[in-house]
């Protein structure tokens, strides 16, 4: 059985997590309209035609914040690139490059990794707009380009067919039993944080982190205990909500997403704690799994 290691790279909010979810056909990475939702590489495996695909959903490659968390995100991104067989560079209908971004992407394309361009959100474009944008992108990058929509699934089958072709040319094989699909701490943390970002509408932007303290995997169910950390007391009040309604909603949506991955009943305990300046704490970021 062959294995293809793929990294999805692009600006925040172009649809990287949505593409990963579409390819894997399950909720495996946090999806949000807010920027930099994914803080660490989330990996997931899926099997198609007796082949294993490992998808890496990377943090936004152009992180502007100046703190220890941002530095760890950049390291995480670089690590995923070096370990990939193929890089999917993703744009959407808002395509526009700064000179710095262009330099970053040119360095990727000039590396030994195979690279293709993904143009997402074609459901939001007319045929003429799509044609113009495709021509513009290919002026910058003379690489194979796949127009897709993660909303309508247009173009997804063509993309999968091409990935199959890339896989066939790989020489290395792996044993199927080396692939694990179990829920882990990082995946759980990112899913819960993605739900928080969706529900708080910008009121708790990037000052929150989730730490999964316990995962007890039983035969019929999984018990998970997670703590949500915020930097300010008013953020804690927002997350808990009136009579605890918001935290209940966060727990309910997170449970549904986790049950879809595990095919087991999930029992999820959530707590909210104030921890100031956590983004610059090396010990805390290591505890969260953002730093090795």
């Amino acid at each position: 059985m062959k294995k293809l290691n793929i990294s999805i790279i692009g600006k925040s909010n172009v649809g990287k997590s949505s593409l990963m979810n579409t390819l894997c056909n399950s909720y495996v990475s946090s999806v949000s309209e807010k920027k930099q939702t994914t803080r660490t590489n989330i990996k997931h495996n899926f099997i198609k035609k007796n082949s294993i695909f490992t998808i890496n959903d990377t943090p936004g490659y152009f992180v502007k914040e100046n703190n220890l968390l941002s530095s760890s995100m950049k390291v995480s991104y670089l690590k995923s690139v070096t370990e990939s067989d193929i890089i999917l560079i993703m744009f959407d209908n808002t395509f526009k490059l700064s000179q710095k971004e262009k330099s970053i992407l040119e360095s990727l394309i000039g590396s030994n990794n195979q690279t293709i361009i993904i143009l997402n959100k074609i459901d939001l474009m007319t045929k003429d707009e799509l044609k113009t944008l495709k021509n513009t992108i290919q002026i910058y990058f003379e690489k194979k380009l796949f127009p897709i929509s993660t909303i309508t699934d247009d173009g997804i089958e063509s993309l999968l067919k091409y990935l199959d072709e890339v896989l066939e040319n790989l020489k290395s094989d792996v044993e199927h039993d080396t692939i694990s699909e179990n829920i882990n701490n990082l995946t759980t943390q990112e899913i819960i944080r993605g739900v928080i970002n969706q529900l708080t509408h910008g009121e708790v932007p990037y000052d929150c982190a989730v730490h999964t303290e316990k995962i007890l995997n039983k035969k019929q169910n999984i018990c998970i205990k997670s703590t949500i950390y915020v930097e300010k007391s008013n953020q804690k009040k927002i997350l808990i909500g009136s009579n605890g309604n918001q935290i209940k909603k966060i727990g309910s949506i997170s449970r549904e997403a986790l049950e879809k991955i595990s095919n087991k009943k999930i029992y999820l305990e959530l707590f909210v704690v104030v921890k100031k300046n956590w983004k610059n704490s090396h010990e805390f970021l290591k505890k969260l799994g953002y730093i090795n």
Side-chain angles (χ1 to χ4, degrees):
M1 183 174 283
K2 290 189 175 183
K3 178 182 177 183
L4 184 66
N5 197 350
I6 303 165
S7 281
I8 306 173
I9 291 168
K11 281 185 178 181
S12 299
N13 204 32
V14 296
K16 299 186 301 294
S17 298
S18 295
L19 176 59
M20 180 178 183
N21 296 341
T22 299
L23 294 178
C24 299
N25 195 30
S26 62
Y27 194 135
V28 295
S29 182
S30 54
V31 179
S32 173
E33 292 299 318
K34 299 170 179 60
K35 294 182 179 179
Q36 298 168 14
T37 303
T38 307
R39 283 182 175 154
T40 185
N41 294 334
I42 299 297
K43 292 187 177 183
H44 189 72
N45 304 298
F46 72 99
I47 297 174
K48 182 177 181 289
K49 296 180 181 178
N50 296 319
S51 299
I52 300 169
F53 292 78
T54 295
I55 313 290
N56 301 283
D57 179 16
T58 63
Y61 65 85
F62 196 62
V63 182
K64 294 181 180 179
E65 287 187 29
N66 186 23
N67 52 48
L68 192 55
L69 173 63
S70 298
S71 298
S72 72
M73 287 170 66
K74 292 174 184 177
V75 170
S76 182
Y77 151 72
L78 290 171
K79 185 175 184 293
S80 75
V81 170
T82 58
E83 294 176 350
S84 298
D85 297 308
I86 186 167
I87 301 169
L88 311 186
I89 298 179
M90 199 165 182
F91 301 115
D92 66 7
N93 58 319
T94 64
F95 174 81
K96 187 178 180 181
L97 285 182
S98 69
Q99 186 57 46
K100 186 169 184 179
E101 290 170 310
K102 187 172 180 289
S103 298
I104 293 170
L105 293 176
E106 283 176 342
S107 68
L108 284 178
I109 290 176
S111 69
N112 293 327
N113 306 80
Q114 186 168 350
T115 308
I116 64 174
I117 308 297
I118 307 294
L119 176 56
N120 189 27
K121 303 183 184 178
I122 62 172
D123 54 298
L124 301 179
M125 308 178 214
T126 65
K127 289 184 178 180
D128 287 342
E129 288 171 339
L130 176 58
K131 183 179 179 180
T132 300
L133 192 51
K134 284 171 63 178
N135 291 338
T136 302
I137 292 172
Q138 291 188 311
I139 289 172
Y140 284 96
F141 310 111
E142 296 178 356
K143 291 289 179 181
K144 195 168 184 65
L145 186 150
F146 288 87
I148 69 164
S149 168
T150 55
I151 300 299
T152 64
D153 285 344
D154 285 347
I156 296 298
E157 279 303 314
S158 295
L159 175 59
L160 278 172
K161 183 178 178 181
Y162 181 77
L163 294 178
D164 282 335
E165 293 171 3
V166 174
L167 188 73
E168 285 301 313
N169 292 325
L170 292 180
K171 296 179 181 179
S172 60
D173 289 341
V174 295
E175 295 295 329
H176 175 47
D177 60 8
T178 64
I179 301 301
S180 173
E181 297 294 346
N182 293 333
I183 284 180
N184 57 47
N185 287 31
L186 284 177
T187 301
T188 302
Q189 289 169 192
E190 288 299 293
I191 285 175
I192 296 170
R193 200 169 64 82
V195 172
I196 292 168
N197 283 350
Q198 290 173 24
L199 294 180
T200 54
H201 306 294
E203 294 170 304
V204 190
Y206 297 104
D207 290 341
C208 88
V210 180
H211 180 234
T212 298
E213 298 167 26
K214 181 181 74 174
I215 297 180
L216 185 58
N217 200 334
K218 300 179 180 180
K219 189 173 182 179
Q220 301 295 330
N221 57 64
I222 302 175
C223 299
I224 300 172
K225 178 182 177 182
S226 293
T227 301
I228 303 166
Y229 291 91
V230 292
E231 291 202 327
K232 300 173 184 177
S233 298
N234 68 312
Q235 293 169 339
K236 179 177 179 179
K237 292 178 182 177
I238 290 169
L239 287 182
I240 293 174
S242 176
N243 298 318
N245 289 336
Q246 185 74 299
I247 196 67
K248 289 176 184 176
K249 193 171 182 180
I250 292 168
S252 176
I253 297 174
S254 298
R255 275 195 298 272
E256 288 177 8
L258 291 166
E259 286 175 348
K260 189 173 181 182
I261 297 174
S262 64
N263 292 316
K264 287 185 178 181
K265 180 72 176 176
I266 298 290
Y267 293 95
L268 177 62
E269 286 186 277
L270 292 178
F271 303 89
V272 185
V273 173
V274 176
K275 184 176 180 62
K276 295 182 179 179
N277 200 29
W278 63 264
K279 287 183 279 189
N280 280 306
S281 170
H282 185 278
E283 182 180 350
F284 186 66
L285 292 175
K286 187 174 181 179
K287 176 181 175 181
L288 293 176
Y290 295 159
I291 294 178
N292 293 327

